[in-house]
């Protein structure tokens, strides 16, 4: 049997959205988006490959922690940004601005 595409999986999640328990469907949507984002190189990967690392360090992470967590942080934030805005971030600054406004600035 052939694996489902991202689109097919997304359509399935839409079809069963009312059947999940708790955060089961939103979590599955997030994980699907993380998978999709992880297969696409960030537009800033060549020009600013350490953007996430610097961002985490500026927010208080030790250099070791920033280096260890930068990749997962970036992919997760790219996924959240895509889910929230309906489009992919075109720069790391897009992510930083979105975090500042939506996450840090949330009431």
């Amino acid at each position: 049997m052939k694996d489902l595409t991202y689109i097919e999986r997304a359509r399935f999640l839409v079809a069963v959205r009312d059947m999940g328990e708790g955060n089961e469907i939103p979590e599955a949507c997030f994980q699907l988006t993380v998978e999709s984002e992880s297969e696409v190189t960030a537009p800033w990967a060549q020009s600013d490959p350490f953007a996430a690392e610097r961002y985490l360090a500026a927010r208080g992470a030790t250099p070791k922690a920033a280096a260890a967590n930068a990749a997962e942080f970036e992919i997760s934030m790219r996924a959240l940004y895509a889910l929230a805005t309906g489009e992919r971030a075109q720069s790391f600054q897009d992510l930083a601005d979105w975090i500042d406004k939506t996450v840090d600035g949330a009431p």
Side-chain angles (χ1 to χ4, degrees), residues 16-73:
V16 299
R17 70 182 171 270
D18 297 327
M19 302 166 106
E21 294 184 25
N23 289 328
E24 184 177 37
I25 302 302
E27 179 60 29
C29 290
F30 175 68
Q31 290 305 322
L32 178 62
T33 309
V34 166
E35 286 180 46
S36 174
E37 286 294 325
S38 69
E39 290 187 6
V40 176
T41 303
W44 57 90
Q46 293 293 333
S47 62
D48 197 5
F50 300 106
E53 205 170 314
R54 282 194 320 278
Y55 179 85
L56 291 173
R59 294 181 61 103
T62 65
K64 183 177 180 179
N69 295 300
E72 184 177 351
F73 169 79

Side-chain angles (χ1 to χ4, degrees), residues 50-91:
F50 300 106
E53 205 170 314
R54 282 194 320 278
Y55 179 85
L56 291 173
R59 294 181 61 103
T62 65
K64 183 177 180 179
N69 295 300
E72 184 177 351
F73 169 79
E74 183 177 303
I75 291 292
S76 295
M77 287 297 113
R78 285 172 54 199
L80 288 172
Y81 180 93
L83 287 168
T85 66
E87 55 191 47
R88 289 190 158 128
Q90 295 304 304
S91 69

